[in-house]
């Protein structure tokens, strides 16, 4: 029964991602695209400093040290979906 329940429920969301708000998810997507903080800010209408703060929060929640790690993580999760 457990296997059937898992199939019905679909893939489980990563616990780290479940703590993200919609803006953090959006910014993580842009990080994975390889955009700079300034480019992200322009796209989402935020200052570069605000984006920097979001990036710091994202890295902390993921337990990662670099945006490159976060980009790889994001791309891997997207390919699993």
């Amino acid at each position: 029964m457990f296997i059937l329940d898992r199939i019905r429920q679909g893939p489980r969301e990563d616990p780290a991602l479940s703590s993200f708000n919609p803006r953090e998810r959006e910014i993580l997507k842009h990080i994975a695209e390889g955009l700079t903080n300034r480019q992200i800010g322009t796209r989402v209408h935020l200052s570069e400093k605000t984006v920097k703060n979001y990036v710091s929060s994202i890295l902390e929640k993921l337990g990662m040290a670099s945006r490159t790690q976060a980009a790889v993580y994001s791309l891997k999760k997207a390919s699993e979906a």
Side-chain angles (χ1 to χ4, degrees):
M1 291 300 272
F2 179 73
I3 294 172
L4 289 176
D5 290 339
R6 291 266 298 141
I7 292 170
R8 287 184 192 120
Q9 292 172 359
R12 290 186 186 172
E13 183 174 50
D14 187 311
L17 287 179
S18 66
S19 68
F20 279 30
N21 64 45
R23 182 66 87 178
E24 288 169 328
R25 289 173 186 267
E26 179 181 22
I27 290 174
L28 179 59
K29 183 185 101 186
H30 291 308
I31 291 170
E33 293 172 358
L35 299 179
T36 65
N37 289 350
R38 178 173 288 166
Q39 292 168 324
I40 295 169
T42 299
R43 286 207 184 169
V44 299
H45 308 290
L46 294 173
S47 73
E48 186 176 354
K49 173 68 174 154
T50 301
V51 172
K52 182 180 177 185
N53 290 337
Y54 273 114
V55 171
S56 294
S57 175
I58 289 166
L59 293 176
E60 183 177 336
K61 286 180 178 183
L62 292 175
M64 296 179 179
S66 74
R67 62 191 297 132
T68 302
Q69 288 176 307
V72 170
Y73 169 84
S74 177
L75 293 170
K76 181 179 175 193
K77 289 297 175 185
S79 70
E80 291 175 358

